[in-house]
Amino acid sequence: MKFISLKVLSVISFLSLSFIGYSTSSYAESNSTVTNMDQLPYNLIEDVEVMDYQVQENNIVTETENFTSNINLDENEITYTDSEDNSVAISIDDPDLKFVENVDGTIVYENEEEGYSVDNQILDGGFRQLFSIESESSPKTYKIDLKLDEGSKLVEKNGLYFVENSEGEIIFNIGKAWAMDSEGNFIESSFKQEGDSLYQTINYTGTNYPLTADPLFCSDTIDNTATKWNSSYNGGKHYQL
């Protein structure tokens, strides 16, 4: 099975986008000036398949041969464990972010007072969050806390972020932050690391609300000797298949 990291990371690192199912890196190479979702062959919001799941008390659980995942409804926390027992858990540092509904496997949380919501989705080989930022008064920076296995750490390399195990092997990839306005125009977004937390900031002064922002986490089950750093991808990690 091809994992998310194989399908999209070369495109993510070049365009600062994340989407599932489009595998031709030459598209990214020839479209480095993409500024609007309509220019893409794939809808980053709607054309993403959420994995099958089971509801177990206050948890949404997905189990496959290659990974298991759990979304805790009370704690807005996603836990993901790959086939080699590498594990990562993430949550938004906001006690007022409350579970609202389960929309066919998209788990929606909302902070009504602050004017934003978060969709959590388990995907084939990873998971993502979609922030919906309702107005100018909504927060534009969000703290994403990571819980890692003992010995693992969050690292930055050439502007991209990864989780490495105690042996220095990359076990999880994090796609570059992206965001867009309500017209589908891509706007500036970035990550900043503090310890085992990532802060995603959306820089926007326009009026086309709501905004959408997306951190994407991908499992890495590929032998790292089959990868290389390629400067043509703005320092991104490009998989050699």
Side-chain angles (χ1 to χ4, degrees):
M1 183 173 77
K2 299 290 186 183
F3 277 81
I4 240 179
S5 53
L6 284 173
K7 292 178 179 178
V8 301
L9 269 188
S10 61
V11 181
I12 294 169
S13 60
F14 199 79
L15 294 177
S16 300
L17 312 177
S18 56
F19 57 95
I20 312 309
Y22 190 75
S23 59
T24 306
S25 60
S26 60
Y27 178 85
E29 293 172 0
S30 61
N31 290 273
S32 59
T33 58
V34 168
T35 59
N36 188 284
M37 180 182 287
D38 290 341
Q39 297 172 268
L40 297 173
Y42 196 86
N43 189 312
L44 303 178
I45 307 302
E46 298 179 358
D47 296 339
V48 172
E49 290 189 14
V50 178
M51 295 293 290
D52 292 337
Y53 63 92
Q54 295 179 336
V55 179
Q56 300 179 4
E57 296 182 351
N58 289 329
N59 296 279
I60 304 299
V61 179
T62 296
E63 296 183 350
T64 75
E65 293 181 357
N66 297 288
F67 69 90
T68 60
S69 64
N70 178 85
I71 300 178
N72 185 302
L73 302 184
D74 293 332
E75 300 179 8
N76 82 82
E77 182 176 81
I78 303 175
T79 301
Y80 186 99
T81 304
D82 67 17
S83 59
E84 297 180 356
D85 209 31
N86 298 305
S87 182
V88 62
I90 68 166
S91 60
I92 307 303
D93 186 10
D94 180 358
D96 296 321
L97 190 64
K98 305 300 183 183
F99 169 70
V100 177
E101 59 181 338
N102 174 1
V103 184
D104 297 327
T106 294
I107 312 304
V108 183
Y109 299 84
E110 182 180 24
N111 184 327
E112 185 175 3
E113 183 175 350
E114 293 288 334
Y116 80 96
S117 61
V118 183
D119 292 354
N120 286 346
Q121 298 176 327
I122 302 298
L123 310 175
D124 186 0
F127 54 93
R128 76 171 184 174
Q129 297 172 306
L130 284 173
F131 291 91
S132 181
I133 303 163
E134 296 300 326
S135 70
E136 183 178 0
S137 61
S138 302
K140 302 299 188 301
T141 296
Y142 301 91
K143 183 185 179 188
I144 305 166
D145 291 328
L146 283 72
K147 295 180 183 177
L148 305 176
D149 294 333
E150 184 177 358
S152 295
K153 60 182 178 180
L154 178 65
V155 297
E156 179 270 335
K157 294 182 179 180
N158 295 332
L160 295 178
Y161 293 87
F162 307 89
V163 176
E164 289 185 350
N165 64 16
S166 58
E167 298 178 356
E169 298 172 329
I170 294 173
I171 53 176
F172 292 100
N173 305 287
I174 302 172
K176 289 186 76 174
W178 66 263
M180 67 178 186
D181 66 16
S182 62
E183 300 296 321
N185 300 308
F186 292 107
I187 57 181
E188 183 180 352
S189 183
S190 61
F191 286 137
K192 178 183 177 181
Q193 178 184 356
E194 289 190 10
D196 286 338
S197 296
L198 279 179
Y199 289 80
Q200 181 168 5
T201 297
I202 297 91
N203 295 317
Y204 184 67
T205 57
T207 59
N208 292 329
Y209 286 91
L211 311 179
T212 300
D214 177 16
L216 171 72
F217 292 73
C218 312
S219 66
D220 185 2
T221 62
I222 306 305
D223 184 346
N224 284 319
T225 61
T227 67
K228 70 176 184 179
W229 294 96
N230 187 324
S231 61
S232 68
Y233 287 85
N234 288 349
K237 189 174 184 181
H238 175 52
Y239 285 88
Q240 305 298 300
L241 305 182

